[in-house]
Amino acid sequence: MTSHSQFRLLGQRRFLPFYLTQFSGAFNDNLYKNALLLLVTYSAGGLLGFSVDVVVNFAAFLFILPFFLFSGMAGQLADSLEKSRIIRVVKLLEIGIMTTAAVGLWFGWYELLLVLLFLMGTQSTFFGPVKYAILPQVLADDELVGGNALVGMGTFVAILLGTIAAGVLMGFETAARLTAVGVVVMAILGYLAARQVPPTDNRGAAALERLQPVKETWRLLTLAAEQRRVLLAILAISWFWFLGAAYLTQFPNFAKTSLLGDETVVTLLLALFTIGISVGSMLCEKLTGHHITLKLVPWGAAGLSLFGVDLYFAVPATPVASTWLTLLSDAEYLRVLLDLLGIGVCGGLFIVPLYAFIQHETPRFKRARIIAALNVMNALFMVVSALTGIVVLGVLGVGIPGFLLLLSLVNLIVVALVWRLSRHTTARSCG
């Protein structure tokens, strides 16, 4: 491990407490969301007279809605106030939300738990802009790609672990009460980590104006459009979230219908996809040579299409009932797993340089609002991804492998666009 390795940041106070804070938050979000959805699906059997499918989709809507409503306010606050202070307040609010959630879980008040999903989404909305805007203030330019890679890896690993933890807890008779204890403990640990985040330099911060949610969200999008290259980078990242949301949403039914797999196969697919993104993210620093450059982005985009097309042809024509062990030991299934791993790796190569580019190119006093604009676009693209899946799979009757093939072919347009963007972006030597 050289002195320039990104892992050395994990031993420094300017980075480690922030890293642990965001990791614990991502883990807790996914532990709570997935535990709630599993409880609704297998225990509650629907709520307020609605079917499970309606409740599950409504729950997803409640979590995403705050990103549309409050991202403008979140970005303005992050550009105006000292960032470590915002982080501590947000994590303190998480303790309050999760304590209330623990009561709801303990007594089975599912309607309350759905409302709390909206509050969790709100808390995540206010943490998002600070999460990426603080990195350029605490890291040198030649550390920015590596720092983003660590944050990206940590986020996806936390998502995976939180999802798995929720599934494991559902195997116990007292699943709801164990989850109640778990979410409160994780919220407290996150706050303790947040208290160690050093203060940032707030000189030259933007003035805090009157907070108007809808108006501020519109201002965000206008602000993001001021720099064409930054806007294109935002759209490219949002496209990845469109693609990623499509894969993650289809994994359960893809495992069940296309691979005839059990629940362990779903976990394996999710794990490989997440591990791939983490590996791709960690490779970025070495492959870019500590430069803030977009040269990897077209290659990552091309890999998303190539592995996605091969996945279509890799799905067995006559699958047999399978477990995670079957997939790992059968060469026919192994090709599917390698394709998903490749898609993940290419995804990491695709998004990490784009995040570093946006942070570097955006003026400091606008940075958090630009990140907030990115969050709005990500949420919008994920909603459109869900609607696209409903139309293609439900209305048009296309199978899941065919749907993923279609997305891989559409992604070729993105390959051409990011290739042009990278050609017109001068690589910056930062070391």
Side-chain angles (χ1 to χ4, degrees):
M1 194 179 303
T2 68
S3 61
H4 290 291
S5 171
Q6 53 211 344
F7 292 103
R8 68 187 170 84
L9 295 174
L10 294 176
Q12 300 181 16
R13 191 188 168 203
R14 61 192 171 112
F15 183 80
L16 180 60
F18 161 75
Y19 178 83
L20 295 176
T21 301
Q22 67 88 28
F23 185 94
S24 66
F27 178 92
N28 220 17
D29 280 354
N30 286 274
L31 172 61
Y32 177 76
K33 282 191 299 182
N34 286 285
L36 174 58
L37 294 180
L38 288 170
L39 286 168
V40 168
T41 301
Y42 293 102
S43 300
L47 294 174
L48 302 174
F50 295 106
S51 68
V52 170
D53 286 336
V54 172
V55 173
V56 166
N57 283 283
F58 182 60
F61 170 76
L62 284 175
F63 188 79
I64 292 175
L65 182 60
F67 288 93
F68 292 102
L69 296 179
F70 306 127
S71 283
M73 296 170 58
Q76 188 178 342
L77 286 172
D79 272 336
S80 303
L81 304 178
E82 197 276 311
K83 293 177 179 57
S84 67
R85 176 185 172 193
I86 296 176
I87 291 173
R88 286 190 290 273
V89 170
V90 167
K91 299 306 289 186
L92 192 59
L93 290 174
E94 183 181 340
I95 294 178
I97 294 170
M98 288 307 182
T99 301
T100 309
V103 175
L105 286 164
W106 200 274
F107 294 104
W109 297 339
Y110 294 106
E111 290 80 5
L112 171 64
L113 297 176
L114 285 176
V115 173
L116 291 174
L117 267 181
F118 177 83
L119 295 181
M120 279 188 59
T122 301
Q123 183 250 351
S124 296
T125 300
F126 281 88
F127 183 70
V130 182
K131 173 180 174 179
Y132 285 105
I134 196 174
L135 289 179
Q137 288 190 247
V138 299
L139 302 179
D141 281 351
D142 64 340
E143 297 172 324
L144 201 51
V145 173
N148 275 282
L150 285 171
V151 170
M153 179 199 71
T155 299
F156 282 104
V157 169
I159 290 172
L160 174 62
L161 294 178
T163 302
I164 292 174
V168 170
L169 289 175
M170 289 307 106
F172 294 92
E173 290 186 9
T174 57
R177 295 187 175 186
L178 288 173
T179 303
V181 174
V183 294
V184 173
V185 169
M186 287 306 301
I188 293 172
L189 291 176
Y191 176 69
L192 293 176
R195 287 184 61 87
Q196 302 304 313
V197 176
T200 56
D201 183 2
N202 205 43
R203 289 176 296 181
L208 184 62
E209 301 175 7
R210 184 178 179 183
L211 299 176
Q212 298 173 304
V214 177
K215 187 176 181 180
E216 285 303 322
T217 299
W218 177 251
R219 280 185 181 178
L220 284 182
L221 301 179
T222 304
L223 190 67
E226 290 179 355
Q227 293 176 270
R228 182 175 178 274
R229 294 185 304 171
V230 170
L231 177 62
L232 290 175
I234 287 174
L235 293 174
I237 292 175
S238 295
W239 165 254
F240 173 78
W241 284 106
F242 179 106
L243 204 61
Y247 275 97
L248 294 175
T249 302
Q250 307 314 322
F251 274 164
N253 211 28
F254 175 71
K256 181 180 179 181
T257 60
S258 299
L259 303 178
L260 296 185
D262 60 11
E263 294 86 347
T264 64
V265 172
V266 181
T267 302
L268 179 61
L269 299 183
L270 176 62
L272 283 173
F273 188 72
T274 305
I275 290 169
I277 293 176
S278 301
V279 170
S281 298
M282 300 310 294
L283 287 173
C284 285
E285 185 186 48
K286 184 174 290 294
L287 293 176
T288 59
H290 305 279
H291 296 167
I292 299 175
T293 172
L294 298 183
K295 68 179 182 180
L296 291 180
V297 176
W299 294 102
L304 290 173
S305 286
L306 290 174
F307 283 110
V309 170
D310 191 70
L311 177 64
Y312 174 79
F313 294 103
V315 175
T318 55
V320 295
S322 59
T323 65
W324 68 274
L325 192 57
T326 308
L327 267 67
L328 289 174
S329 58
D330 189 315
E332 191 173 25
Y333 286 107
L334 195 58
R335 182 178 168 188
V336 172
L337 300 183
L338 290 175
D339 281 331
L340 287 175
L341 183 65
I343 290 168
V345 171
C346 292
L349 297 175
F350 182 79
I351 60 170
V352 167
L354 286 167
Y355 271 113
F357 174 76
I358 290 172
Q359 291 164 344
H360 191 268
E361 291 295 306
T362 304
R364 175 178 163 181
F365 64 92
K366 294 182 180 179
R367 189 175 291 136
R369 282 172 290 172
I370 295 297
I371 299 299
L374 172 60
N375 290 339
V376 172
M377 294 301 296
N378 288 346
L380 177 61
F381 272 59
M382 285 189 283
V383 169
V384 175
S385 175
L387 294 176
T388 303
I390 291 172
V391 171
V392 175
L393 297 171
V395 179
L396 300 181
V398 176
I400 293 175
F403 175 50
L404 298 179
L405 173 65
L406 176 63
L407 293 181
S408 299
L409 295 175
V410 172
N411 185 68
L412 291 172
I413 300 173
V414 179
V415 175
L417 292 176
V418 295
W419 180 71
R420 290 188 62 185
L421 175 62
S422 68
R423 281 187 63 202
H424 290 90
T425 301
T426 304
R428 288 165 171 78
S429 177
C430 304

